[in-house]
Amino acid sequence: MLEHTAEQQAAVSPECFQQQPDCCSYVGRFAPSPTGPLHFGSLLTAVASYCDAKANQGKWLVRIEDTDIPRIYPNSETHILSCIDAFQFEPDAEIIFQKDRLDIYEQVLEQLKQSQDIYACQCTRKMLGSNHIYAGTCRNLNLDFANQAIRLKVADQLICFQDRLQGQQCSNLQNELGDFVLKRRDGIISYQLAVVVDDYLQGITHVVRGADLLDNTARQIWLGSLLNYPALSYMHLPLAMNDQGQKLSKQNLAQALDISQAPELLHQAILALGQASVELDQPRIMLQQAVQQWDVNLIPQGIHLTGTYL
């Protein structure tokens, strides 16, 4: 395990509620990526993460995960912030943007370098071909870190966690994935690194997100363990599927949320999550009622959507 020096520990010390552990035992978050406008599937995650946090007397934070700067869709960050306002979600801390925190991620990479948990990799996609499991080609080459991808070493061991909806999940990263990238050759910080560091720094205790991110969890648990970060609770929501049986996603051109229809969309999201109906009102009032009635056991195994706003 990584031992932090006093200087390094200060550089990555937890912010916000983690500095006041008696504040609350539940800190959740909604962390959209601005690679396109928010759609109904995004709203489901926002509603579920918000209601679960508030029903447990917890805090709810918003983080914009925008480290992959070339993929940021024009005006999508503005749309995300407009949706937060229109649906009257009330974050319990200032919204942060990962692109403003790149120096923090570099500090953590330096810590991992000092502990010899990462190495430079010169392999290109062409060199790797169709192999989806990295064979560790560069692990022992001791390449210079400049202008190279940076990979995290994994071990031949089973990583298991109990998902609140999906049940027990186990993965062996060495057999299923191999050493994985934390920083690309072009300098882009990976999602895996940024999300683990920011969950720790923001004092996140509970993660509620879509099941499309389920296979990322073992990687994040492994990285967190190397950094001596506390374990998190996970709940992965069933994916929302459209009439054609496709998951709602930016890649499938899911319709952007229409903020002028916020109350109607919010009502539809609450019902899609299997929750008791709420009265059509201001979104703030609807959310309060949804929190009071929130029951994780009612969330369906699958969410199949039809309707005007999808």
Side-chain angles (χ1 to χ4, degrees):
M1 293 296 182
L2 179 61
E3 295 294 335
H4 296 161
T5 66
E7 181 179 356
Q8 289 172 330
Q9 185 67 45
V12 293
S13 61
E15 305 161 356
C16 192
F17 306 107
Q18 185 90 348
Q19 294 178 329
Q20 304 174 42
D22 294 333
C23 172
C24 61
S25 58
Y26 188 123
V27 182
R29 43 75 159 180
F30 175 55
S33 174
T35 52
L38 294 187
H39 51 74
F40 192 77
S42 312
L43 180 60
L44 291 175
T45 301
V47 170
S49 60
Y50 184 87
C51 288
D52 200 58
K54 296 301 182 179
N56 287 283
Q57 294 76 51
K59 304 295 182 182
W60 184 78
L61 312 183
V62 174
R63 180 173 71 229
I64 309 300
E65 299 194 330
D66 53 359
T67 58
D68 196 350
I69 297 173
R71 292 185 63 226
I72 294 178
Y73 190 84
N75 300 317
S76 57
E77 290 189 356
T78 301
H79 180 255
I80 291 172
L81 298 178
S82 296
C83 287
I84 297 296
D85 289 339
F87 287 91
Q88 297 181 353
F89 291 107
E90 297 179 346
D92 291 298
E94 182 180 355
I95 296 174
I96 69 168
F97 295 78
Q98 287 185 330
K99 68 173 180 292
D100 298 330
R101 302 163 66 83
L102 300 181
D103 58 332
I104 296 175
Y105 311 136
E106 292 291 346
Q107 291 171 17
V108 175
L109 284 173
E110 181 60 31
Q111 293 177 33
L112 292 167
K113 181 179 179 181
Q114 294 300 319
S115 61
Q116 300 184 350
D117 287 313
I118 57 174
Y119 61 92
C121 174
Q122 63 184 356
C123 297
T124 63
R125 289 185 179 180
K126 184 176 181 181
M127 292 168 61
L128 295 175
S130 60
N131 296 328
H132 68 280
I133 301 176
Y134 184 69
T137 307
C138 297
R139 183 188 266 220
N140 298 315
L141 296 184
N142 295 317
L143 300 172
D144 189 276
F145 278 75
N147 302 315
Q148 303 284 13
I150 297 176
R151 289 185 181 269
L152 182 73
K153 297 176 183 177
V154 300
D156 183 10
Q157 68 182 63
L158 207 59
I159 299 172
C160 297
F161 67 98
Q162 188 71 23
D163 188 274
R164 293 169 60 200
L165 282 182
Q166 309 296 334
Q168 187 177 49
Q169 306 290 317
C170 293
S171 298
N172 184 310
L173 291 175
Q174 182 168 297
N175 295 340
E176 300 170 16
L177 179 69
D179 300 338
F180 58 93
V181 173
L182 294 185
K183 184 180 180 182
R184 296 185 343 206
R185 180 177 286 101
D186 61 5
I188 298 297
I189 296 293
S190 80
Y191 161 75
Q192 309 297 346
L193 175 61
V195 71
V196 169
V197 172
D198 281 334
D199 278 346
Y200 169 65
L201 292 180
Q202 291 190 284
I204 302 301
T205 61
H206 292 68
V207 173
V208 177
R209 60 188 181 186
D212 54 333
L213 294 172
L214 188 59
D215 62 357
N216 288 285
T217 309
R219 278 175 269 185
Q220 293 163 13
I221 290 173
W222 175 250
L223 175 56
S225 71
L226 293 177
L227 292 166
N228 293 326
Y229 292 172
L232 306 181
S233 168
Y234 291 95
M235 182 167 75
H236 287 84
L237 303 168
L239 298 180
M241 312 296 286
N242 63 19
D243 291 337
Q244 289 74 45
Q246 302 171 317
K247 75 167 186 174
L248 289 186
S249 68
K250 298 158 188 172
Q251 290 75 19
N252 290 330
L253 304 178
Q255 182 177 330
L257 290 174
D258 182 355
I259 60 176
S260 70
Q261 301 288 344
E264 293 83 358
L265 285 168
L266 181 56
H267 186 257
Q268 197 166 355
I270 292 167
L271 294 180
L273 288 165
Q275 304 302 300
S277 181
V278 300
E279 296 180 10
L280 203 61
D281 203 325
Q282 296 181 44
R284 183 179 294 105
I285 304 301
M286 297 171 67
L287 284 170
Q288 290 173 356
Q289 188 176 350
V291 167
Q292 293 171 357
Q293 301 175 158
W294 180 249
D295 186 348
V296 169
N297 296 318
L298 296 179
I299 297 176
Q301 293 183 348
I303 300 176
H304 301 278
L305 303 169
T306 60
T308 306
Y309 306 109
L310 307 182

